Amino acid sequence: MTAQKMEKYLWDLPAQFEESLEINIELPQSYHRSYSNVIVTGLGGSAIGGDILRIYSMQKVAMPVLVNRDYTMPAFVGPDTLVLAVSYSGNTEETLSAYEDAKAKGAQIIVVSSGGTLSEWACRDGYPVLTVPGGLVPRAATGYLFVPLGLIFENLGLLQGVREDIKSTVKVLEELRADIEPGVESATNAAKRIAQEMKDRIPVIWGSSSRTDIAALRWKAQINENAKAPAFYNIFPELDHNEIVGFQVPQEVVSKFVVVMLVDPEDHPRIKHRMEITKQVIQDQVYNVLEIEPRGDSFLSNFYSLVYVGDYVSYYLALEYGINPTPVETIDHLKAELAKRP
């Protein structure tokens, strides 16, 4: 696999949204009922879709929507729980274990996957399976892994306007791509300039609770997996109660921090004020503080525009280091070792 493969994955993200709109969402009538809670269970790139669904639903769905990253399900899971089991490969061991636990607890289950054991089990057990295109690395399949979840919620009457939001997000991403794709020189390519700032330094990504926190997590994870570099994230207002103090020593390390603040026009006014003050506090200790603003006129387009910039930044940072962004050999090694001791 080459760097060009990841470049194509990034380019194709808007098309993932459009293709996902064609997925046939026909759930059995037994699923059209009231639930006490919804849990998305998955790991890594397969869990990000659940995180997006959680914050997308937060102001619109009058029930808890949670994300589970574990081998087991919480004790409260039962017949009134809707479990969305997501594994791009269909073979993630934690998700398979959580699926079995959800089944044992009598939860209603829907599977989103490209195939694998998870889809086989769900078909065997009579649960609906939404099959998404395979062949990508999970972190590059975020469109395929989020859109079906949003469409499930729309189909069940839990959310409205999902399709319209997705269509508007496609337009925003296509416009943004024209500004940050590889053919655009660094002088006018914000993603390339940010990557150059980060090279040989330590990225610290900050978002805000319930708005850009998952975008910040995505930036961090993409830098880890694509650029093979350390990166850290935190969220306002929590970070102002602890992390803000930790920018004094060791100075030779702190001076290498590049802090990226992901801002949102709908951030709480006090969050905006906190960001301003926090920037003033740390700007003389760190290498640089950058602020990234979203595009679009909806939560989803705002969110994904921030994510898309981060995805391209992580790709360009890999190129700055002369690294192929696509393979994740350390994760592959870990899975191989785990497979030896089931």
Side-chain angles (χ1 to χ4, degrees):
M1 291 183 284
T2 65
Q4 285 70 34
K5 195 159 191 175
M6 181 58 68
E7 181 181 325
K8 186 177 187 306
Y9 291 159
L10 295 177
W11 179 272
D12 287 344
L13 180 59
Q16 285 188 32
F17 283 88
E18 293 181 308
E19 292 175 31
S20 298
L21 288 173
E22 303 302 318
I23 295 175
N24 186 27
I25 310 290
E26 289 188 4
L27 299 174
Q29 190 58 40
S30 60
Y31 281 77
H32 292 262
R33 44 162 291 193
S34 297
Y35 296 99
S36 298
N37 50 77
V38 179
I39 295 186
V40 182
T41 189
L43 277 295
S46 298
I48 286 290
D51 285 318
I52 300 167
L53 181 70
R54 175 180 63 80
I55 55 176
Y56 184 45
S57 304
M58 191 167 290
Q59 303 302 322
K60 302 178 180 181
V61 179
M63 75 174 78
V65 178
L66 307 173
V67 178
N68 180 62
R69 290 175 164 88
D70 206 345
Y71 287 88
T72 60
M73 302 297 290
F76 61 77
V77 169
D80 290 333
T81 301
L82 174 62
V83 172
L84 305 177
V86 184
S87 170
Y88 186 63
S89 68
N91 298 313
T92 308
E93 69 169 57
E94 298 96 328
T95 308
L96 291 171
S97 176
Y99 168 92
E100 291 281 74
D101 193 27
K103 174 186 169 184
K105 293 177 183 297
Q108 293 279 74
I109 301 173
I110 301 172
V111 163
V112 177
S113 180
S114 67
T117 302
L118 184 61
S119 293
E120 293 174 5
W121 286 2
C123 290
R124 175 200 67 192
D125 298 332
Y127 296 123
V129 177
L130 301 187
T131 302
V132 300
L136 287 72
V137 292
R139 65 188 184 278
T142 176
Y144 292 143
L145 294 173
F146 163 70
V147 174
L149 303 182
L151 295 180
I152 289 170
F153 266 40
E154 187 172 55
N155 184 268
L156 295 177
L158 300 174
L159 283 173
Q160 297 180 343
V162 175
R163 289 181 180 272
E164 289 73 17
D165 279 355
I166 291 169
K167 290 175 182 178
S168 68
T169 299
V170 169
K171 293 180 181 179
V172 169
L173 294 183
E174 289 175 340
E175 293 170 358
L176 177 57
R177 182 178 62 191
D179 293 337
I180 61 175
E181 57 95 6
V184 179
E185 297 297 327
S186 298
T188 56
N189 189 324
K192 285 184 177 180
R193 294 199 307 273
I194 295 170
Q196 290 164 358
E197 289 272 296
M198 288 181 174
K199 185 183 180 185
D200 298 324
R201 301 183 183 97
I202 304 170
V204 177
I205 319 299
W206 286 345
S208 62
S209 180
S210 304
R211 296 298 303 181
T212 60
D213 50 346
I214 302 306
L217 170 60
R218 171 73 175 187
W219 273 64
K220 179 260 184 196
Q222 287 291 83
I223 291 170
N224 292 157
E225 292 193 64
N226 287 340
K228 326 304 180 196
F232 305 91
Y233 93 105
N234 210 329
I235 58 174
F236 289 95
E238 175 65 22
L239 70 87
D240 276 341
H241 293 266
N242 38 65
E243 185 166 314
I244 187 60
V245 184
F247 281 75
Q248 298 179 28
V249 292
Q251 292 181 351
E252 62 272 19
V253 175
V254 175
S255 65
K256 289 184 175 292
F257 287 177
V258 174
V259 177
V260 177
M261 293 186 180
L262 305 182
V263 301
D264 187 287
E266 298 301 321
D267 279 333
H268 191 283
R270 297 297 291 176
I271 294 292
K272 294 178 181 179
H273 193 38
R274 282 179 175 274
M275 287 182 169
E276 293 172 1
I277 297 172
T278 303
K279 181 178 179 179
Q280 294 171 7
V281 169
I282 67 169
Q283 61 187 359
D284 291 336
Q285 278 72 49
V286 302
Y287 181 81
N288 203 356
V289 181
L290 308 173
E291 295 183 27
I292 311 298
E293 297 182 356
R295 296 192 188 186
D297 55 6
S298 69
F299 169 80
L300 205 58
S301 59
N302 283 181
F303 174 85
Y304 263 106
S305 69
L306 291 173
V307 165
Y308 208 28
V309 173
D311 285 0
Y312 267 102
V313 167
S314 69
Y315 169 72
Y316 294 137
L317 184 57
L319 298 186
E320 288 286 334
Y321 284 125
I323 288 173
N324 181 352
T326 309
V328 283
E329 295 174 357
T330 304
I331 295 176
D332 293 339
H333 171 74
L334 175 64
K335 289 181 178 179
E337 290 298 307
L338 286 169
K340 295 177 183 177
R341 298 184 292 274

